[in-house]
Amino acid sequence: MNEHKRNVRVRLTTVNDGQQTVVDTDGEAYLRGGHTYIRYREPSADLAGVTTTVKLGAGGIAVLRQGAVRAEQRFVPGGVAVGYYETAQGAFPLETRTGAVDVRFEGFVGRAAWDYELWVGGAEAGRFEANLDVQEAEGTR
């Protein structure tokens, strides 16, 4: 199967304790093995040089980061998943306790929403709601 990529516009909104964080950036999308992958460079100064890949499929969502920060978080509907967050200063185990996951993609574009409790190093870090909106970038062939 050929791997086809498309330029996309990515908007990831996360809400925790009423605080909203928005990532709005350009990225690329590709399909492989029944999954949609969204990849983008983190625009915030805190994560400069970090590339984030979001893997979306029927079984859930995975968020992988590579660069100055390395991390893996998985979101399984109604399940618990273990991951990690690693920087030059040290590493922490992550645990996500996911509620609902709703993935609605057609090929390269679509929406996903999920909610979860995050535990970092065994301590509760809060409850989060995430919404991912991916649209084909302007000028894409």
Side-chain angles (χ1 to χ4, degrees), residues 82-104:
V82 177
Y84 65 89
Y85 189 90
E86 183 179 298
T87 68
Q89 290 76 34
F92 304 96
L94 300 179
E95 182 178 291
T96 55
R97 298 175 185 180
T98 306
V101 174
D102 183 21
V103 177
R104 296 175 188 225

Side-chain angles (χ1 to χ4, degrees), residues 73 94-96 116-120 123-128:
Q73 282 182 281
L94 300 179
E95 182 178 291
T96 55
Y116 62 99
E117 292 176 12
L118 177 64
W119 296 70
V120 178
E124 186 174 6
R127 181 157 189 78
F128 295 79

